[in-house]
């Protein structure tokens, strides 16, 4: 499904009250504390829940000029966090250089890595690169059982991730007291919402340390967004209506205050600006008069911009809420 | 009539039972929340107990709610099925335990 088809599908929701109607007033950004760079859609995996629809066949990659412009902006403005995502970010050939440059800025620097890629010989050098520059690593592990994780991410991925966690733990990642941080992301392997973060974190910690001898810092619980490959899955399995109803029934006003777009700005591989990575995949750029390309970046205009919302936003406000940092409450 | 007695969306109306005779309803929900939240048992253990009870009691709402809750808590399908088997075994057991009553009467009455 292309972005326009996805948007059309998302405009049809059970009960009919759109996210915009539900909010009753415009959603406004309050700051830019995170600059998130989606550096490309190529990936060594092709997970079933992927909202990017990333995979080995995708060729979109952020070019050097866009990285350079991002660095200029970061130097000029006190944006506290640099958040690198993809695809598999490691597949972008400019990433090692960018990490080294970004690390000099002394901000919180994080990379969302699937870890399985670090298993491949050509990408192993990233392990030292990340550790040397104190890059915070965030990786998705949908379940502490191999069977469930592999069902979503592909055969053998669980074992590779656990293996790589061991290597990273040996470097100091995820160990108490170490400044090398390794976080895991739980997202449901199917058409249901994640459970309470604290309960799952406890289970993950116990199982992973007892059964596999690996440790991590925090577990973030994320709701799957009805975008990209996950939206296709919901439609194909006739789960779309029920899933949207569940999201809508779990709407929580408190979570609205904490949605990530209020403090985050997302940069696409081609330099276009979005309110978040999900809007990026739906090709809904920043609008309402704010600059929509990194070349015409204006901090003051963007930090209080009106967010572009649509019905997929219900995934951000369901239950305890779901930001890129897990549950909001 | 196209409507069914049991429809998934009926469950969404459950919190509204306090519309009439609100006091006992509110007390029930408070009690329910406290009984099912983590205590000495984890939320996960309690969700598995609730799932077994739901199947034993044949409640489609509770089966829906607690299968989803177990999934959300990362409970695997094998673990859920083990809990259902406990419920099934208990049900079979309590039927068969009553055979002792049948036997008692047989022993007393037969020559
Ligand atoms: S979810 Fe992540 S690892 Fe999986 S295909 Fe998408 S980008 Fe790649
Ligand atoms: S989906 Fe994106 S735009 Fe919508 S509320 Fe969530 S972060 Fe904001």
């Amino acid at each position: 499904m292309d972005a326009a088809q996805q948007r059309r599908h998302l405009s049809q929701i059970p009960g009919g009250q759109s996210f915009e109607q539900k909010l009753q007033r415009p959603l406004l950004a309050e700051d830019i504390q995170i600059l998130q760079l989606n550096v490309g859609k190529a990936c060594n995996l092709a997970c079933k829940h992927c909202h990017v629809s990333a995979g080995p066949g995708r060729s979109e990659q952020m070019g050097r000029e866009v990285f350079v412009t991002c660095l200029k902006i970061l130097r000029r403005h006190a944006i506290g966090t640099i958040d690198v995502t993809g695809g598999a970010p490691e597949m972008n050939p400019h990433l090692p250089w960018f990490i080294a440059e970004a690390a000099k800025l002394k901000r919180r620097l994080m990379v969302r890595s699937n870890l399985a890629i670090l298993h491949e010989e050509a990408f192993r050098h990233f392990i030292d690169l990340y550790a040397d520059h104190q890059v915070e690593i965030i990786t998705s592990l949908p379940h502490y059982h191999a069977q469930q994780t592999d069902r979503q991410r592909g055969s053998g991925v669980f074992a590779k991730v656990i293996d790589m966690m061991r290597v990273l733990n040996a470097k100091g990642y995820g160990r108490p007291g170490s400044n090398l941080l390794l976080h895991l992301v739980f997202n449901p392997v199917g058409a249901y919402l994640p459970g309470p973060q604290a309960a799952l974190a406890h289970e993950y910690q116990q199982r992973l340390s007892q059964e596999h001898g690996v440790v991590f810092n925090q577990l973030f619980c994320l709701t799957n967004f009805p975008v990209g490959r996950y939206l296709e899955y919901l439609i194909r399995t006739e789960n779309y209506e029920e899933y949207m109803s569940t999201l809508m029934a779990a709407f929580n006003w408190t979570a609205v205050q904490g949605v990530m777009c209020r403090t985050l700005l997302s940069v696409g591989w081609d330099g276009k600006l979005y309110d978040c990575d999900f809007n990026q995949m739906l090709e809904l750029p920043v609008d309402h008069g704010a600059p929509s390309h990194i070349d015409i970046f204006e901090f003051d205009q963007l930090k209080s911009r009106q967010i572009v919302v649509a019905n997929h936003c219900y995934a951000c406000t369901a239950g305890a809420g779901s930001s890129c940092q897990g549950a909001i409450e | 009539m196209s409507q069914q007695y049991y429809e998934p969306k009926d469950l969404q109306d459950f919190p509204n039972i306090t519309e009439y005779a609100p006091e006992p309803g509110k007390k029930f929900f408070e009690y329910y929340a406290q009984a099912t939240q983590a205590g000495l048992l984890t939320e996960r253990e309690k969700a598995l107990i609730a799932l077994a009870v739901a199947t034993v009691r044949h409640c489609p709402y509770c089966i829906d709610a607690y299968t989803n809750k177990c999934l959300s808590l990362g409970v695997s399908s094998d673990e859920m099925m083990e809990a259902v088997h406990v419920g099934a075994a208990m049900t079979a057991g309590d039927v068969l335990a009553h055979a002792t009553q049948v036997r008692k009467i047989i022993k007393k009455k037969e020559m």
Side-chain angles (χ1 to χ4, degrees):
Chain A
M1 273 171 112
D2 64 25
Q5 287 168 318
Q6 292 184 52
R7 290 198 303 268
R8 256 199 309 281
H9 207 96
L10 281 162
S11 67
Q12 295 150 21
I13 44 167
Q17 194 180 36
S18 72
F19 187 77
E20 202 167 5
Q21 287 165 341
K22 180 84 185 177
L23 289 190
Q24 289 171 339
R25 53 177 179 269
L27 181 63
L28 302 177
E30 56 172 3
D31 198 3
I32 305 172
Q33 294 165 2
I34 305 171
L35 191 70
Q36 186 175 62
L37 279 65
N38 192 315
V39 303
K41 296 183 181 174
C43 190
N44 55 320
L45 305 180
C47 308
K48 284 188 192 154
H49 70 301
C50 185
H51 71 273
V52 182
S53 301
R58 303 293 299 255
S59 57
E60 302 91 327
Q61 291 283 16
M62 187 176 278
R64 184 109 170 179
E65 329 73 65
V66 178
F67 279 115
V68 169
T69 314
C70 289
L71 285 169
K72 270 191 208 147
I73 287 163
L74 286 161
R75 272 184 212 115
R76 222 177 300 139
H77 303 281
I79 299 172
T81 301
I82 308 165
D83 178 350
V84 179
T85 187
E90 293 89 351
M91 289 174 83
N92 185 310
H94 305 293
L95 193 68
W97 157 81
F98 177 76
I99 295 284
E101 290 301 308
K104 290 180 197 160
L105 302 174
K106 305 275 177 238
R107 312 285 166 86
R108 180 179 176 203
L109 176 58
M110 50 203 221
V111 172
R112 292 165 197 270
S113 169
N114 65 46
L115 292 196
I117 196 166
L118 304 185
H119 230 261
E120 295 177 23
E121 205 43 54
F123 296 97
R124 282 195 89 89
H125 61 99
F126 277 99
I127 300 168
D128 284 336
L129 182 86
Y130 288 158
D132 292 348
H133 295 292
Q134 295 195 1
V135 174
E136 201 170 317
I137 300 177
I138 299 176
T139 198
S140 162
L141 190 68
H143 208 277
Y144 43 75
H145 285 149
Q147 202 188 5
Q148 267 91 332
T149 291
D150 287 0
R151 226 169 51 214
Q152 185 171 85
R153 315 203 73 194
S155 171
V157 172
F158 180 83
K160 285 184 187 167
V161 172
I162 295 293
D163 225 38
M164 211 31 72
M165 281 181 75
R166 257 184 224 118
V167 174
L168 291 170
N169 284 166
K171 286 241 161 243
Y173 267 104
R175 299 230 169 257
S178 160
N179 52 8
L180 295 175
L181 301 176
L182 171 63
H183 306 303
L184 300 186
V185 171
F186 164 88
N187 56 277
V189 191
Y192 51 90
L193 303 188
Q197 195 156 284
L200 279 156
H202 173 78
E203 205 63 27
Y204 262 70
Q205 258 147 9
Q206 285 210 324
R207 304 264 183 156
L208 291 181
S209 70
Q210 281 165 15
E211 293 168 24
H212 303 283
V214 291
V215 291
F216 61 94
N217 294 97
Q218 272 180 280
L219 177 81
F220 301 133
C221 289
L222 295 194
T223 301
N224 284 322
F225 277 72
V227 175
R229 219 174 269 140
Y230 188 72
L231 175 62
E232 288 170 13
Y233 154 79
L234 289 175
I235 297 169
R236 192 175 62 245
T237 54
E238 296 181 3
N239 273 306
Y240 173 75
E241 284 216 354
E242 196 186 325
Y243 190 72
M244 291 307 287
S245 301
T246 309
L247 292 179
M248 290 164 78
F251 182 84
N252 172 3
W253 281 108
T254 319
V256 176
Q257 302 309 314
V259 289
M260 59 188 146
C261 50
R262 302 198 63 218
T263 52
L264 172 148
L265 185 68
S266 154
V267 189
W269 64 275
D270 52 1
K272 285 204 188 109
L273 298 179
Y274 302 86
D275 295 302
C276 71
D277 206 47
F278 305 102
N279 284 13
Q280 185 173 146
M281 299 317 144
L282 291 170
E283 293 176 11
L284 290 170
V286 163
D287 200 355
H288 304 293
S292 63
H293 197 279
I294 196 86
D295 290 343
I296 47 171
F297 182 93
E298 275 292 339
F299 189 87
D300 288 335
Q301 248 185 307
L302 283 161
K303 77 163 194 232
S304 51
R305 72 195 184 275
Q306 183 180 337
I307 310 287
V308 177
V309 294
N311 292 332
H312 64 292
C313 298
Y314 274 118
C316 267
T317 54
S322 202
S323 78
C324 48
Q325 296 292 298
I328 291 164
E329 285 184 318
Chain B
M1 196 170 90
S2 64
Q3 277 188 337
Q4 305 288 323
Y5 279 113
Y6 286 125
E7 289 187 87
K9 67 175 171 12
D10 295 343
L11 190 54
Q12 284 169 22
D13 187 48
F14 188 33
N16 303 330
I17 62 160
T18 50
E19 186 182 350
Y20 309 126
E23 282 315 312
K26 278 189 211 145
K27 287 203 167 111
F28 161 76
F29 280 119
E30 275 167 28
Y31 168 69
Y32 187 92
Q34 200 175 3
T36 53
Q37 78 195 12
L40 292 176
L41 298 181
T42 63
E43 212 170 333
R44 195 174 192 279
E45 287 161 340
K46 289 189 175 184
L48 279 163
I49 295 171
L51 181 67
V53 174
T55 49
V56 167
R57 301 287 302 162
H58 301 176
C59 174
Y61 301 130
C62 295
I63 293 172
D64 183 355
Y66 279 95
T67 307
N68 273 290
K69 181 153 189 191
C70 284
L71 284 168
S72 299
L73 287 164
V75 178
S76 72
S77 26
D78 287 334
E79 289 170 317
M80 277 185 250
M81 204 56 208
E82 278 195 18
V84 172
H85 276 299
V86 173
M90 290 300 292
T91 307
D94 90 31
V95 170
L96 292 174
H98 282 82
T100 58
Q101 304 301 316
V102 178
R103 284 168 54 78
K104 193 163 71 181
I105 298 166
I106 294 170
K107 301 281 180 204
K108 188 173 175 216
K109 298 274 165 111
E110 256 183 357
M111 269 181 185

